[in-house]
């Protein structure tokens, strides 16, 4: 950690408008039960309980019939979600416009990442405290990486040097992220994460190493793994 914790306050946006088709569940993955609570409840509690958070915005599908706001110790508000993640995040940023200054920090975190450690959140806030742009949590790729064709045949082995898995939260200056997302969408580019929008605008986000248990629940086998991680974190 390069600097002491020095960010007085920050904002958070959680895109939660996805339907989670790969889970094949009866409801969106963020509403599945996990250790006695919904996945999204764990996620929002971990964000909402962290010091310095000024406001929390959740982007919800307009046809969502499962949403109910959990109790968190910070102001929580909702906005309509968009067609893709980038639209939902931008809707959340627009909700904060007029309250958040351009130089304020905003953290975007996946609704289906309920195992975020407080120490990883501290590391992100501390490492980037004086950074002009921002960055994201990530994990160095340890496995051998292969590129395949559409049939699944291996074409080549790719060097993993310098390769990272992008995690969340991703943390950027409010005004810069808002402008970068607008520019990407106006160009017809539906970026898959906030860092991609920042990169597209010509900036270089900083990668901050996190922990591997900060998993995103995507497939059915991820749910029991997340339950195990949460139990281990509570025992630590």
């Amino acid at each position: 950690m390069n600097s002491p914790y020095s960010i007085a306050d920050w904002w958070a946006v959680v895109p939660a408008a996805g339907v989670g088709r790969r889970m094949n569940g009866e409801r969106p993955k963020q509403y599945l039960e996990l250790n006695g609570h919904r996945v999204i409840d764990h996620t929002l509690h971990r964000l909402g309980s962290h010091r310095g958070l000024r406001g929390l915005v959740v982007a919800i599908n307009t046809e969502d019939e499962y949403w109910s706001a959990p109790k968190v110790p910070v102001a929580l508000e909702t906005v309509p979600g968009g067609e893709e993640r980038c639209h939902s995040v931008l809707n959340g940023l627009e909700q904060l416009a007029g309250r958040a200054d351009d130089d304020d920090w905003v953290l975007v975190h996946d609704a289906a990442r309920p195992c975020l450690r407080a120490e990883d959140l501290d590391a992100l806030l501390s490492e980037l405290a004086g950074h002009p742009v921002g960055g994201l949590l990530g994990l160095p790729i340890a496995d051998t990486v292969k590129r395949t064709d559409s049939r699944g045949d291996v074409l080549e082995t790719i060097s993993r040097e310098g390769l990272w898995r992008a995690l969340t939260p991703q943390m950027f200056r409010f005004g810069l992220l808002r402008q970068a997302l607008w520019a990407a969408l106006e160009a017809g580019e539906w970026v898959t994460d906030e860092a991609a929008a920042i990169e597209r605008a010509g900036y270089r986000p900083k990668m901050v190493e996190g922990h591997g248990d900060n998993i995103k629940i995507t497939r059915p086998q991820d749910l029991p793994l997340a339950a195990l991680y949460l139990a281990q974190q509570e025992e630590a």
Side-chain angles (χ1 to χ4, degrees):
M1 200 170 293
N2 294 332
S3 61
Y5 186 91
S6 57
I7 294 177
D9 48 45
W10 47 281
W11 308 87
V13 172
V14 176
V19 297
R21 293 184 178 88
R22 283 177 287 183
M23 285 294 292
N24 296 318
E26 62 180 12
R27 61 185 61 196
K29 59 189 178 183
Q30 60 267 30
Y31 298 119
L32 296 176
E33 192 274 336
L34 175 62
N35 290 14
H37 300 278
R38 302 177 305 175
V39 169
I40 195 170
D41 295 342
H42 288 284
T43 302
L44 297 179
H45 178 74
R46 295 208 167 194
L47 284 174
S49 300
H50 208 81
R51 59 187 180 274
L53 178 61
R54 291 185 61 185
L56 178 56
V57 181
V58 185
I60 302 297
N61 192 301
T62 55
E63 299 180 358
D64 191 327
E65 57 187 65
Y66 301 102
W67 167 256
S68 60
K71 291 183 179 179
V72 292
V74 69
L76 186 155
E77 52 197 301
T78 62
V79 295
E83 186 172 355
E84 296 291 340
R85 172 200 177 90
C86 50
H87 301 95
S88 293
V89 171
L90 186 55
N91 287 352
L93 296 178
E94 291 301 319
Q95 180 75 4
L96 294 174
R99 286 177 286 165
D101 294 332
D102 281 351
D103 284 338
D104 282 356
W105 289 110
V106 60
L107 276 68
V108 181
H109 187 54
D110 296 327
R113 287 190 190 271
C115 303
L116 172 66
R117 296 183 182 211
E119 63 190 281
D120 280 359
L121 191 47
D122 273 338
L124 188 70
L125 290 164
S126 179
E127 289 274 1
L128 300 177
H131 200 277
V133 176
L136 64 156
L137 285 177
L139 199 65
I141 292 179
D143 298 317
T144 299
V145 180
K146 305 286 187 180
R147 187 190 304 279
T148 67
D149 60 19
S150 59
R151 298 175 300 180
D153 295 332
V154 174
L155 299 176
E156 62 177 322
T157 300
I158 302 171
S159 171
R160 64 188 179 215
E161 184 178 356
L163 294 182
W164 292 67
R165 287 172 45 207
L167 308 178
T168 69
Q170 301 195 2
M171 170 177 163
F172 295 103
R173 301 287 183 182
F174 173 80
L176 180 59
L177 180 57
R178 184 184 179 202
Q179 181 181 26
L181 282 172
W182 268 118
L185 293 180
E186 288 177 350
E189 297 181 28
W190 293 5
V191 291
T192 56
D193 73 349
E194 296 67 53
I198 297 295
E199 295 158 30
R200 182 187 177 279
Y203 299 94
R204 292 187 177 180
K206 182 177 178 61
M207 190 70 80
V208 177
E209 185 169 352
H211 284 81
D213 53 6
N214 183 12
I215 63 170
K216 183 178 182 181
I217 295 174
T218 304
R219 301 182 186 278
Q221 59 266 33
D222 297 330
L223 202 60
L225 185 57
L228 174 62
Y229 285 152
L230 287 177
Q232 289 176 338
Q233 290 174 4
E234 290 173 0
E235 292 173 359

